[in-house]
Amino acid sequence: MASVFTHEFNTPIYKGKTSFNTGLYINGKFVEGSDKTTIDVVNPATGKVVTKVAEATSKDVDIAVAAAHKAFETTWGLNMGGAGRSRLLAKLAQLMEEHQQELAALEALDNGKTFTWAMDLDTTFAIDTIRYYAGWADKIHGQVQETDEKKLSYTRHEPIGVVGQIIPWNFPLLMMSWKLGPALATGNCIIMKPSEFTPLTAIRMCELIHEAGFPPGTFNLLTGYGHTVGAAISGHMKIDKVAFTGSTLVGRKIMEAAAKSNLKDITLELGGKSPNIIFDDADLDQAVNWAAHGIYWNHGQACCAGSRIFVQSGIYDDFLAKFTEKTRSLKVGDPFDVDSYQGPQVSKIQYDRIMDYIQSGKDQGATVHLGGDRNGTEGFYINPTIFTDTTPDMKIVQEEIFGPVGVVIKFEDDEDVIRQANDTVFGLAAAVFSQNINRALNTAHRLKAGTAWVNCVNQLHSNVPFGGFKQSGIGRELGEYALHNYTAIKSVQVNLGHIM
Amino acid sequence: MSSTVKIPVPTLNKEISVSTGLFINNEFVPSVDSAEVIQCFNPATEQVIANVVAGSSKDIDVAVAAARLAFRTTWGKNVTGWERSRLMNKLADLIERDKQELAELETLNNGKPVAVARDFDIGDSIQCLRYYAGWADKITGQTIEVDNKSKMAFTRHEPIGVCGQIIPWNYPINMWAWKVAPALAVGCTIVMKPSEITPLTALKLSELVVEAGFPPGVINTVPSLGSVGGAALAAHTDVDKIAFTGSTITGRKIMEAAAKSNLKKVSLELGGKSPQLIFESADLQQAAAWAALGICYNTGQDCTAGSRVYVQDSVYDKFIDVLVSTVKEIVIGDGFDNKTGGGPLISKAQFDRVWGYIDAGKAEGAKVVLGGERRNTKGYFVDPTIFTDVDSNMKIVKEEIFGPVLSIGRFKTEEEAVALANNTTYGLGAGLHSTDASQCMRVSGLLEAGTVWVNQYNILSNNVPFGGKKQSGIGRELGSYALEEYTSVKAVHWNIGEKLQWPLSF
């Protein structure tokens, strides 16, 4: 029998209670994993275990896939019209809104981001995203193509079928909504694997999905490890598509497994080492503020983080001084303190990785301009860090750190900075700061990135597509574009008079 | 006079309160310069049930000014698509909450059965608002490649501005939703003139507009005579677009006034004389049911009423038998009676008009095979009437009757059928019944109508466009297409690198 997680939040910023079933959610029911094993959920602010949740294995994936196919053939897919799917998604958004504080608190507890960020950004944007896709559900149009009057030729944009979705730990609820919204709006059934580090909000959502009235089997949640559940999903012969957000390393494995199994369709949102280019004629104060947001948002745990900050020589000294001061002002503290800006990193593994990168920076001769050390003695806190005096071949300049570590690089020449910015296997995002609109737009257009921000960084909207060039990914999320990821185009040609 | 009336619903032992002023800037107000009132009738009892303020052309000026101010400050480009979506969804929820009472009010003033008003008219209206709420944050322009080195070209799909909307009396709430939803979704503000015959539900819906949280001036409701308020809107130099549903005669006046004033954009949903073709391979039972629906739904007071039916010779006699016995089953009666399938005609004027046509049909030599007899009771009730042995020159075949009066003709060949069907200045709807798929494809391609039903009739969907060809209208409602009627496209050419050499060299 699956167990229940009950927790009382008694913090300066939020007081409330949560209590929910922590089993796997398969075919409309909460169940234990087939092997009856569990996964510990750790609070990164303390390093201590807060609860255990059921662990899924590949057997559970098989059970869920069968349930999903049954639902797809009977109660979901095209058996439920767009208006019906729209209503259910709208209901889910409403339920999320009613439980928004609870979801934000769970997110802060599980992931370490501050309650304030979880409220103002993660949960708000997640609700927006579900609402946005609720509106698309009854607007999935195909085309009619004119051939001649003896033929009716048209396309159907059909749901693919049963889709696997593997989501990361950096924005657990938000990434869940980005995946769930377009997939359900278009009529697919889902097998979702949340990150084993941050399963709580995804599990909590299952009760809301159930309450909203989604038929059993349309959405299934299997908490488990990448090498078991993730591998089972990407290699499954009866899953028709897999969508993954996470590291480029794992993305390769997913794509390989998809190729080796049933050539399932894939979309990947992977890593980045996004450049933030600040020209001489930038609004300096604004550039400083945005650059800080670019790297320190979510403790640097954002795929699109502006982690390479290129500053033109004319303003370099001023920028560095102001940027340092700004960074110093960011308060690192408990996620439930009223004025915390940055909480702990998500896990010991991530903490160690980031500290290793910081060490490599020191070892390779870069200057630690600020930070570079642990904050406090409990939990996985790292002080916002600035490196200067780097060379392009350094690990901290080439590789994705995924922590609050910014690299500030001086440049002279427009052409050279564009070349340096593009000199990476990644291509997720980029930012340009300049008050000269022609310079800004021309630069933005030449940067090889899926999102180019001009005079801003890390701005996302439910209706604007997001995704990577090069090894940062395949496909686009958000906006109308995400619908393409979950529809299969069928051309129907009806002969109404041609004699053979 | 601006107050609230309580309208009694005798059979239900209750009262419905309605504000009777003009709804401008989120308030119910008296006319600025007139003491005129509009009497609202219950067509089943012929009794006056309420008086409402009759708007003057000065009141229209006030409403337009309110709509313009809202467009400049709190609506238009000052409100995000997400916020518009949120408000529209809230309005839909409130209508759903109050649907029973709104249905009863609709029945009191319009006569249609309560269950039809609630489950079809209002049910569809709620869905319509939700459908367009879903579009509000999805209004996208294009980026267009011109010359990558020197130009960034893109389009913005902007709201047109202040829209005058004039709606009819046959589906008061549903027509309100069809007009209001796409306009709000793209960010336009509205001056709505409901029909002077059925203004009550529009006024009641205005209360919900306030409760939903729309800023003042976004939606304004001005009951008024067509010749006063409608004409004023059509001719107003500060109204950017006029949308009208009603008769073709009035549609012409609207378009003329628009042309003579400020060349405002015009969309029109006008009359019809829609044909249904019954081919010999058709399932006759089903075809008869759809044909019955086509002429009896809303007691024939439908712009797409299938008022002409043409039957292939080989199945003519059989079909007439089936059709007559099918149509006989509908009960025309009081809308508060559960047995009623269709209510009275809307007014004395319409009642007299329809009888004028029935009498003309008899006088011109058509044969009555059902109905054609007056009742001797109160209420504007007309029983379904079917004429056969008609020819194309008869008034009942050429002109829109807007009542439950059907003309049936016959044909030998498919070509003849199509010619008969298209022999009209109208082009709103058409139906064809056949189990030969090639025939269905061919004939649906040849019929000159904005909506063609194959083996069906009358059934619409909020996401499928609707409108007329020929003199049945201009523009489309419903579906994504309706958004274009309220959108004005701006092309932006942004120079990112070209320096102009002047004088030009060739």
Side-chain angles (χ1 to χ4, degrees):
Chain A
M1 204 198 75
S3 58
V4 170
F5 172 53
T6 302
H7 186 85
E8 182 104 32
F9 291 96
N10 191 7
T11 72
I13 203 168
Y14 174 67
K15 293 180 194 340
K17 195 169 163 211
T18 185
S19 179
F20 58 94
N21 202 309
T22 56
L24 312 178
Y25 182 68
I26 299 179
N27 208 18
K29 293 194 184 57
F30 288 96
V31 295
E32 289 184 298
S34 293
D35 288 358
K36 304 211 189 314
T37 47
T38 59
I39 294 178
D40 287 346
V41 178
V42 172
N43 176 359
T46 59
K48 299 199 174 34
V49 175
V50 291
T51 190
K52 298 178 189 307
V53 299
E55 180 193 354
T57 66
S58 61
K59 290 189 224 62
D60 298 302
V61 175
D62 290 337
I63 295 170
V65 170
H69 272 289
K70 178 122 187 286
F72 186 70
E73 245 99 78
T74 56
T75 55
W76 200 243
L78 295 172
N79 302 298
M80 160 88 65
R85 300 195 298 268
S86 179
R87 286 306 290 145
L88 291 177
L89 282 166
K91 180 79 181 155
L92 177 60
Q94 187 197 320
L95 290 170
M96 288 168 75
E97 199 165 47
E98 286 167 22
H99 294 271
Q100 187 174 1
Q101 290 200 314
E102 183 195 340
L103 288 166
L106 278 170
E107 195 84 306
L109 178 72
D110 201 3
N111 166 282
K113 66 181 73 209
T114 66
F115 178 83
T116 303
W117 275 111
M119 271 300 288
D120 293 351
L121 195 120
D122 296 58
T123 51
T124 299
F125 194 179
I127 293 164
D128 257 0
T129 302
I130 300 293
R131 282 215 168 99
Y132 176 76
Y133 284 105
W136 270 121
D138 55 0
K139 302 172 178 65
I140 312 299
H141 298 160
Q143 295 182 351
V144 174
Q145 298 88 18
E146 296 296 334
T147 51
D148 60 55
E149 279 305 297
K150 293 193 179 132
K151 169 169 279 185
L152 177 59
S153 199
Y154 60 96
T155 54
R156 287 167 60 99
H157 287 206
E158 304 183 340
I160 290 179
V162 174
V163 305
Q165 302 185 319
I166 301 169
I167 56 174
W169 47 256
N170 57 347
F171 297 93
L173 184 67
L174 185 59
M175 293 298 101
M176 183 182 191
S177 72
W178 283 22
K179 295 274 185 288
L180 195 153
L184 290 179
T186 45
N188 296 277
C189 292
I190 298 172
I191 314 289
M192 180 175 284
K193 185 195 96 59
S195 167
E196 60 269 32
F197 292 101
T198 54
L200 292 184
T201 44
I203 298 173
R204 181 72 185 88
M205 279 285 280
C206 292
E207 285 185 4
L208 301 184
I209 287 167
H210 197 83
E211 193 183 332
F214 285 89
T218 50
F219 180 82
N220 305 278
L221 190 80
L222 274 58
T223 307
Y225 293 102
H227 63 273
T228 54
V229 176
I233 288 174
S234 48
H236 208 285
M237 294 302 289
K238 289 213 166 92
I239 289 180
D240 307 303
K241 184 255 168 55
V242 67
F244 169 78
T245 297
S247 70
T248 298
L249 191 79
V250 176
R252 288 181 191 283
K253 293 187 187 158
I254 305 258
M255 194 169 175
E256 210 180 309
K260 285 180 164 161
S261 57
N262 62 348
L263 276 168
K264 57 171 65 57
D265 189 24
I266 47 143
T267 44
L268 306 171
E269 296 279 352
L270 307 176
K273 192 70 183 184
S274 302
N276 180 356
I277 300 173
I278 302 172
F279 286 111
D280 274 346
D281 56 5
D283 176 333
L284 184 60
D285 288 334
Q286 280 295 289
V288 165
N289 290 346
W290 285 107
H293 178 61
I295 182 56
Y296 300 120
W297 174 50
N298 214 42
H299 325 174
Q301 299 170 137
C303 43
C304 51
S307 47
R308 291 182 294 151
I309 303 167
F310 293 95
V311 186
Q312 203 156 29
S313 56
I315 54 161
Y316 180 86
D317 293 332
D318 281 341
F319 175 87
L320 187 58
K322 291 190 161 167
F323 182 61
T324 306
E325 197 186 312
K326 175 81 193 175
T327 305
R328 271 210 185 94
S329 77
L330 302 174
K331 181 160 184 294
V332 178
D334 187 276
F336 290 93
D337 279 346
V338 170
D339 53 357
S340 291
Y341 172 87
Q342 177 179 314
Q345 307 305 121
V346 77
S347 67
K348 178 92 174 55
I349 294 173
Q350 286 302 120
Y351 173 88
D352 288 342
R353 252 191 72 151
I354 298 162
M355 294 308 276
D356 280 350
Y357 273 112
I358 292 174
Q359 189 56 47
S360 85
K362 294 174 183 168
D363 292 343
Q364 290 189 306
T367 303
V368 179
H369 187 80
L370 184 72
D373 54 352
R374 186 183 191 184
N375 180 300
T377 52
E378 198 192 39
F380 313 127
Y381 293 88
I382 297 179
N383 281 316
T385 298
I386 301 174
F387 273 104
T388 55
D389 303 324
T390 58
T391 54
D393 54 299
M394 288 180 180
K395 283 181 69 162
I396 56 170
V397 180
Q398 289 287 322
E399 298 180 26
E400 186 179 39
I401 300 173
F402 229 64
V405 180
V407 171
V408 181
I409 302 167
K410 189 190 295 193
F411 75 93
E412 297 288 341
D413 178 50
D414 288 27
E415 283 304 309
D416 186 52
V417 75
I418 292 175
R419 187 196 56 74
Q420 281 192 67
N422 286 336
D423 183 21
T424 164
V425 299
F426 294 114
L428 189 54
V432 181
F433 285 81
S434 167
Q435 293 294 91
N436 178 330
I437 194 66
N438 290 354
R439 190 182 198 185
L441 288 181
N442 279 308
T443 305
H445 292 176
R446 291 177 63 192
L447 289 167
K448 296 199 169 88
T451 295
W453 284 295
V454 176
N455 293 326
C456 59
V457 193
N458 281 347
Q459 298 291 87
L460 299 162
H461 309 274
S462 50
N463 59 345
V464 179
F466 178 83
F469 282 30
K470 305 191 313 192
Q471 293 185 33
S472 284
I474 292 173
R476 289 294 174 270
E477 296 199 274
L478 299 183
E480 182 179 1
Y481 295 76
L483 301 173
H484 303 320
N485 299 335
Y486 295 100
T487 46
I489 314 291
K490 173 187 289 170
S491 288
V492 182
Q493 299 190 42
V494 187
N495 179 5
L496 292 170
H498 287 288
I499 309 294
M500 181 59 143
Chain B
M1 170 204 132
S2 160
S3 53
T4 310
V5 295
K6 290 198 191 313
I7 306 177
V9 189
T11 46
L12 299 177
N13 206 19
K14 62 183 279 196
E15 286 178 330
I16 299 177
S17 81
V18 180
S19 302
T20 58
L22 309 176
F23 179 72
I24 300 177
N25 265 334
N26 276 6
E27 288 177 336
F28 290 93
V29 296
S31 165
V32 291
D33 64 348
S34 160
E36 299 286 317
V37 297
I38 290 173
Q39 290 189 307
C40 304
F41 288 84
N42 177 344
T45 63
E46 303 180 26
Q47 298 301 309
V48 173
I49 54 177
N51 291 338
V52 304
V53 172
S56 67
S57 64
K58 277 242 165 8
D59 294 312
I60 293 290
D61 287 340
V62 174
V64 170
R68 177 62 62 194
L69 183 61
F71 187 73
R72 283 218 173 98
T73 56
T74 56
W75 206 247
K77 296 180 200 180
N78 306 293
V79 66
T80 61
W82 301 291
E83 177 65 0
R84 298 196 296 271
S85 181
R86 190 186 70 77
L87 291 170
M88 290 174 68
N89 272 316
K90 180 78 183 158
L91 180 59
D93 289 346
L94 293 173
I95 295 174
E96 190 167 46
R97 180 194 70 190
D98 294 351
K99 64 182 177 181
Q100 180 63 31
E101 189 171 82
L102 283 164
E104 289 161 7
L105 186 60
E106 188 88 312
T107 297
L108 275 174
N109 199 188
N110 167 283
K112 68 180 69 204
V114 176
V116 171
R118 184 191 58 229
D119 299 340
F120 293 163
D121 291 54
I122 295 173
D124 285 350
S125 301
I126 293 164
Q127 183 49 35
C128 183
L129 276 162
R130 288 188 175 137
Y131 174 77
Y132 283 103
W135 271 123
D137 56 0
K138 300 172 178 65
I139 311 298
T140 53
Q142 298 180 357
T143 55
I144 303 162
E145 186 185 356
V146 177
D147 178 336
N148 254 325
K149 288 199 164 28
S150 63
K151 175 165 280 185
M152 235 261 289
F154 60 98
T155 56
R156 295 185 65 149
H157 287 208
E158 305 183 333
I160 284 184
V162 174
C163 300
Q165 301 187 320
I166 303 171
I167 56 174
W169 46 256
N170 56 347
Y171 299 93
I173 294 177
N174 210 1
M175 293 296 99
W176 186 93
W178 281 24
K179 292 275 185 290
V180 158
L184 291 179
V186 306
C188 292
T189 55
I190 296 166
V191 177
M192 162 76 71
K193 189 204 89 61
S195 165
E196 56 266 39
I197 305 179
T198 54
L200 296 177
T201 44
L203 289 168
K204 194 84 178 131
L205 288 166
S206 300
E207 292 173 22
L208 300 183
V209 165
V210 178
E211 194 182 339
F214 284 88
V218 171
I219 302 172
N220 305 278
T221 307
V222 183
S224 179
L225 297 182
S227 55
V228 175
L233 274 175
H236 208 289
T237 51
D238 201 26
V239 168
D240 303 298
K241 184 246 167 55
I242 189 111
F244 168 78
T245 296
S247 70
T248 298
I249 268 185
T250 307
R252 287 180 191 285
K253 291 186 191 158
I254 304 257
M255 195 170 175
E256 211 181 305
K260 284 179 164 162
S261 57
N262 63 345
L263 277 168
K264 58 172 63 61
K265 311 294 169 287
V266 175
S267 56
L268 306 171
E269 295 279 354
L270 307 176
K273 192 70 186 183
S274 303
Q276 292 210 57
L277 303 176
I278 318 293
F279 289 96
E280 61 192 5
S281 70
D283 174 335
L284 292 186
Q285 200 71 45
Q286 275 295 291
W290 289 113
L293 179 71
I295 192 55
C296 295
Y297 191 69
N298 217 39
T299 318
Q301 300 171 116
D302 188 309
C303 43
T304 54
S307 48
R308 296 181 292 145
V309 168
Y310 296 100
V311 189
Q312 200 153 27
D313 269 339
S314 43
V315 293
Y316 180 87
D317 292 329
K318 178 126 191 281
F319 181 79
I320 299 291
D321 280 343
V322 179
L323 180 64
V324 169
S325 52
T326 304
V327 171
K328 264 192 179 133
E329 290 176 38
I330 194 173
V331 175
I332 302 291
D334 186 292
F336 287 97
D337 184 344
N338 284 344
K339 289 194 316 303
T340 298
L345 297 187
I346 192 69
S347 67
K348 178 94 174 53
Q350 286 301 116
F351 181 83
D352 289 343
R353 246 190 79 144
V354 171
W355 272 109
Y357 279 108
I358 295 176
D359 292 338
K362 292 175 183 174
E364 285 185 314
K367 181 173 159 211
V368 178
V369 297
L370 181 69
E373 299 297 321
R374 289 173 190 264
R375 292 191 192 184
N376 289 319
T377 56
K378 257 224 170 323
Y380 309 124
F381 297 101
V382 176
D383 292 300
T385 298
I386 301 180
F387 283 101
T388 59
D389 298 348
V390 301
D391 72 59
S392 304
N393 296 312
M394 292 180 179
K395 281 181 71 158
I396 56 169
V397 176
K398 289 169 66 150
E399 296 178 29
E400 186 181 37
I401 300 173
F402 229 65
V405 180
L406 177 64
S407 295
I408 305 188
R410 56 200 303 161
F411 64 89
K412 272 206 190 55
T413 65
E414 183 183 290
E415 286 73 22
E416 210 187 317
V418 169
L420 284 165
N422 287 340
N423 182 21
T424 167
T425 54
Y426 291 115
L428 192 54
L432 73 101
H433 300 266
S434 163
T435 51
D436 176 344
S438 300
Q439 182 172 57
C440 291
M441 184 67 187
R442 258 190 327 272
V443 174
S444 64
L446 291 167
L447 288 168
E448 289 161 5
T451 296
V452 175
W453 282 281
V454 178
N455 293 323
Q456 185 172 81
Y457 203 74
N458 249 356
I459 309 291
L460 296 174
S461 190
N462 283 306
N463 57 353
V464 180
F466 175 83
K469 287 182 188 268
K470 300 174 3 181
Q471 292 185 32
S472 283
I474 293 174
R476 288 293 173 269
E477 298 197 271
L478 300 185
S480 62
Y481 296 74
L483 300 171
E484 291 164 25
E485 306 294 343
Y486 293 96
T487 300
S488 172
V489 177
K490 173 185 290 173
V492 180
H493 297 248
W494 193 310
N495 181 0
I496 55 173
E498 183 180 338
K499 296 251 183 284
L500 183 64
Q501 297 283 21
W502 185 261
L504 302 176
S505 55
F506 301 93

